[in-house]
Amino acid sequence: MITVDDVRQFARTLPRSSEHLIRDRVKFRVGRIVYVAFSRDESLMGFGFPKEERAALVAAEPAKFLLPRESDLRFHWVEARTAALDVAEMRELVLEAWRMCVPKKVRLEQELAARRR
């Protein structure tokens, strides 16, 4: 099980990432683009994910992943049950969502820095 604090600690390490509280929901953004958001009760974590791959993700693990509500299907977005995620998987999902919305140069700089560690 992951928590908002787990995501917060990891998101702080990502360049240009910022945390916001919007309508009682914790969201992480790059500029104005939200790449991770929690439900009010923090039982769901929504994150950026390629539209063309999300049906396969949900079909592969329906107990863990679900499609966003109908009004959000137009976005590159999917949701996960926080109780079903472990920290390593959360880090991978958050990192990939962050990579979708940062400039390529920033993404490449982060990848280089990660390799040096």
Side-chain angles (χ1 to χ4, degrees):
M1 176 177 184
I2 60 113
T3 66
V4 172
D5 284 334
D6 295 327
V7 175
R8 180 178 290 123
Q9 287 177 7
F10 181 62
R12 285 182 179 157
T13 69
L14 301 173
R16 299 190 185 188
S17 181
S18 59
E19 181 180 343
H20 302 269
L21 186 62
I22 301 168
R23 295 188 188 117
D24 296 324
R25 293 181 59 196
V26 176
K27 298 184 180 196
F28 296 88
R29 302 189 320 197
V30 171
R32 299 194 47 79
I33 301 171
V34 175
Y35 69 95
V36 171
F38 284 88
S39 60
R40 283 186 178 89
D41 67 0
E42 299 177 4
S43 65
L44 297 175
M45 179 183 84
F47 54 95
F49 195 83
K51 280 189 209 179
E52 59 277 359
E53 297 175 24
R54 68 182 173 195
L57 178 71
V58 172
E61 296 187 76
K64 186 181 292 187
F65 299 105
L66 57 148
L67 292 173
R69 62 181 181 227
E70 192 170 329
S71 62
D72 289 339
L73 285 174
R74 62 190 168 149
F75 301 112
H76 293 269
W77 202 253
V78 73
E79 295 184 344
R81 292 174 177 84
T82 56
L85 291 176
D86 63 31
V87 172
E89 188 171 28
M90 171 277 294
R91 285 172 166 256
E92 182 180 332
L93 296 170
V94 169
L95 181 60
E96 290 304 315
W98 172 85
R99 286 179 175 159
M100 288 177 64
C101 56
V102 293
K104 185 176 180 179
K105 178 183 177 186
V106 175
R107 187 177 70 238
L108 293 173
E109 288 171 357
Q110 186 274 338
E111 289 170 2
L112 276 173
R115 282 188 210 136
R116 290 184 193 133
R117 289 184 215 147

